[in-house]
Amino acid sequence: MNLLRHAAPLLVPALLRTDRRLQASTEPFRRTDLFRPHLRSRTWAWTHVGVFLPDLPAPYRFLNTMTFIGATGTTCFDDDRIAAPDARDTAMVLSATAHGEQHHHAGYDAATECSFAEAGPLRWGEDLTVEVDLPRVRVAGRYAAFEADVELDVTDLASWFVRSPAYDHVSLLAPYRATVRHDATEHTFAGLGTVEYARSLSPQSLLRRPLPGWAKLPIDFFTYQIVNLDADTQLLLTDVSAHGVTACRLLHVRTRGGAAEVYDDVRFEVTAWDPEPRRDPAGRPMRVPLRMRWTVRDGAAEVLRMDAEVDAPYRYGHGTGYVSAFRHETTWRGAQCTGSGYVEWVDRRQDAAGSATHASLRDQSSAASSSVTTRDGSLTRSSS
C-alpha cells in the first residue's frame, strides 16, 4: 500500500502553487543551467534527456530516445528490476521504432558502465551517446537490432510541463536529420522533433536502496503524445495524475518560425481499451488504449478534437510502461488533418499495492552480469 497516495489531494496542489509552466511556455527559452546530468548531486535526484521523432514513415513510425539518470522514486517510472547496487546510480535507456525487433531497453550502473560528465557527451555504456551543445544536439545509438544517428537544431520554442523550484521539465521544438541502419540497409529522414530535459528532487536521493512501494511518489498515471500537424506545427498532449488528482493536463502547440501556445482546458478519454492487457517482463498486467480522444477548449470555443487509434506494437520500457504509434484524425481550429503520432503510456492505477518495486534482477544475476536488458518483453543479461 502506498501511503502517499492518500496525501495526493494535498501534496499535488501544494507543489503546483510554485509552478510557472503556463507563463514559461509562452516565453523564449533562455536557460543555461539545464541539460546537466547531476549524477553526483544529492539535491537533484534524477535527470532525464529525451529525443523524440514522432512521425517517421512506415514501417518505422517513430524513433524515441528516452533516458533516465538516477532512480525517480515514483510509482510510474521506477522499474526496480534494473536498479543499480546504489539505486541513485541507476541509468536507463529506451530506444525503439515500430519496425520488427527494433526495441532496446536496458538498465546501467552509472558508477561503472556510464560516463556522465557535467560538460561533454553523455554515454550509456557502448549503446548510446548524447551530445548537447545548444542549439545542436546529437544522438548516436548502437543497439543489437538497429543503429540510429540523429542531429537536431534546437529552437527557443519551449513547452514546460513543470517549472518549479523542485522540478523542471521542458520540451524544445527541434528540426532534425536522422539515419536508421539495420539489416544492411540505411534510411534517412528529416522533419520536426523534440528535445527534452528534466531534473527533480526526490526522497530517493537519501537512500542507496530503491524506495519501497509505499514510499514512492504516487504518480500512477501518465500519457504523453506528440503529433506533427504539418511540416511546421507540433502538438504535445499530456495527462498525468496521482491517485486521481491531476498533476498536468495540457496541450502545447509550437510552430516553427512562429510562437508557442499552451492550453489547460483539456479533456482526455479512452474510448476503447485493447482487449488484451500487456504484461511487463515481471508479469504484471497493464491495460492499454486502443482508441483515444482529446478535446481542448479556449474559452467557449473548441480548438482541438483528436481521435486516435493505436496501430503499432507497444514497446516496453518507458519507466514501467510502454510506447507506441497511432493514426489520428484531428480538427485544429477548424482545419482537418490526418496522420501518425507517438504515444507514451503508463497506467498503474489498478495496481492493488500501488508499487513498482520487485526484487532486483541484478541481485539474482551472476557476478559477471553488468546489466539487464529488456527487448520486446524478453530478458537477457549482458556480460562484462
Side-chain angles (χ1 to χ4, degrees), residues 225-246:
Q225 302 177 24
I226 309 173
V227 168
N228 289 341
L229 291 181
D230 54 43
D232 297 309
T233 308
Q234 186 177 84
L235 310 182
L236 310 179
L237 300 126
T238 312
D239 193 357
V240 184
S241 61
H243 197 41
V245 181
T246 298

Side-chain angles (χ1 to χ4, degrees), residues 25 159-161 234-236 250-254 261-263:
S25 293
S159 300
W160 291 85
F161 310 110
Q234 186 177 84
L235 310 182
L236 310 179
L250 298 173
L251 165 67
H252 290 91
V253 184
R254 308 91 78 82
E261 307 168 69
V262 59
Y263 300 85

Side-chain angles (χ1 to χ4, degrees), residues 15 28 96 140 146 168 177 188 230 259 293 299 306 335 340 378:
L15 294 174
F146 70 107
D168 287 315
R177 298 165 298 283
T188 59
D230 54 43
R293 174 174 294 158
M306 186 178 84
S340 181
S378 62

Side-chain angles (χ1 to χ4, degrees), residues 96-117:
T97 77
H99 182 46
E101 301 300 312
Q102 294 179 4
H103 177 195
H104 175 85
H105 175 232
Y108 306 80
D109 185 344
T112 60
E113 298 177 299
C114 302
S115 175
F116 297 136

Side-chain angles (χ1 to χ4, degrees), residues 130-354:
V130 177
E131 299 179 68
V132 180
D133 185 16
L134 296 181
R136 187 63 51 82
V137 174
R138 296 181 177 88
V139 177
R142 301 293 181 265
Y143 312 121
F146 70 107
E147 297 182 353
D149 289 284
V150 186
E151 188 170 289
L152 304 102
D153 297 310
V154 175
T155 72
D156 65 357
L157 294 175
S159 300
W160 291 85
F161 310 110
V162 185
R163 175 69 180 92
S164 75
Y167 181 19
D168 287 315
H169 195 158
V170 66
S171 166
L172 301 172
L173 185 70
Y176 70 84
R177 298 165 298 283
T179 302
V180 175
R181 291 179 294 275
H182 61 95
D183 301 326
T185 65
E186 180 174 295
H187 298 275
T188 59
F189 312 99
L192 208 55
T194 178
V195 172
E196 294 189 11
Y197 175 81
R199 65 181 185 182
S200 181
L201 308 184
S202 169
Q204 181 64 74
S205 66
L206 303 175
L207 298 173
R208 289 176 54 87
R209 296 185 62 82
L211 288 175
W214 61 264
K216 291 184 185 290
L217 298 173
I219 302 298
D220 55 9
F221 175 72
F222 172 93
T223 188
Y224 173 50
Q225 302 177 24
I226 309 173
V227 168
N228 289 341
L229 291 181
D230 54 43
D232 297 309
T233 308
Q234 186 177 84
L235 310 182
L236 310 179
L237 300 126
T238 312
D239 193 357
V240 184
S241 61
H243 197 41
V245 181
T246 298
C248 181
R249 187 179 295 136
L250 298 173
L251 165 67
H252 290 91
V253 184
R254 308 91 78 82
T255 303
R256 176 164 39 182
E261 307 168 69
V262 59
Y263 300 85
D264 60 359
D265 187 352
V266 176
R267 181 181 181 187
F268 171 72
E269 55 189 316
V270 175
T271 55
W273 294 96
D274 192 305
E276 293 295 329
R278 298 304 186 270
R279 291 190 176 272
D280 68 16
R284 293 178 304 168
M286 181 181 292
R287 60 179 184 174
V288 295
L290 177 62
R291 289 187 288 274
M292 306 168 288
R293 174 174 294 158
W294 293 87
T295 308
V296 181
R297 303 188 70 84
D298 183 11
E302 182 179 285
V303 295
L304 175 83
R305 177 173 291 252
M306 186 178 84
D307 288 291
E309 181 169 350
V310 178
D311 62 347
Y314 276 100
R315 307 295 206 187
Y316 178 76
H318 186 82
T320 63
Y322 301 84
V323 301
S324 190
F326 57 80
R327 304 298 302 177
H328 69 89
E329 296 181 357
T330 298
T331 301
W332 164 244
R333 294 196 175 277
Q336 296 182 340
C337 69
T338 61
S340 181
Y342 166 76
V343 56
E344 299 176 349
W345 183 267
V346 193
D347 188 355
R348 291 295 172 199
R349 292 172 294 187
Q350 292 187 330
D351 286 7

